[in-house]
Amino acid sequence: DVERSRGLGDVYKRQLSPDLTDDFEMLHSTFEPGAKLYTAVARPTQEVGYILSGQLKLWIGDANYLLASGDSFRIKGEFFRWENPTDKPCQVIWVIAPPVY
């Protein structure tokens, strides 16, 4: 099942974890061109991601990064936001602990 995130531009998430009963969840997310999280959010989680294809601009705390295929990131309860500033989709494997979706 693919779920479209409302209010975030065009972001599509597919649950890769078999269920949400473990300590983490894994998602395959596709950020369409121009997709953007306008307001930074913080969650009581640890999150890691791996960029499969495309580019993603990611702000974590006071730092910002332009990530591309093969790059990874970690967010530990910090404020973050993201944007796909390109004209191509960006695909990311995203692992969140504990599960939030």
Side-chain angles (χ1 to χ4, degrees):
D1 261 0
V2 175
E3 172 188 318
R4 179 173 182 218
S5 295
R6 291 165 182 50
L8 301 178
D10 290 321
V11 179
Y12 300 89
K13 300 175 188 169
R14 185 167 48 103
Q15 186 77 37
L16 298 179
S17 304
D19 55 44
L20 297 177
T21 61
D22 287 319
D23 295 332
F24 67 90
E25 67 180 311
M26 188 179 321
L27 303 167
H28 178 263
S29 298
T30 301
F31 298 80
E32 292 295 330
K36 183 175 188 175
L37 180 60
Y38 289 92
T39 303
V41 296
R43 302 190 274 220
T45 58
Q46 286 195 57
E47 306 184 30
V48 295
Y50 179 78
I51 311 299
L52 294 171
S53 64
Q55 293 184 338
L56 189 69
K57 189 163 187 181
L58 183 64
W59 291 263
I60 303 172
D62 293 330
N64 67 72
Y65 309 91
L66 181 58
L67 304 171
S69 179
D71 290 336
S72 61
F73 60 88
R74 173 179 284 133
I75 303 166
K76 294 174 108 180
E78 298 141 307
F79 278 93
F80 72 95
R81 65 186 178 96
W82 47 257
E83 175 184 3
N84 179 353
T86 73
D87 61 355
K88 295 187 171 125
C90 176
Q91 295 189 36
V92 179
I93 298 295
W94 204 294
V95 179
I96 305 170
V100 294
Y101 289 101

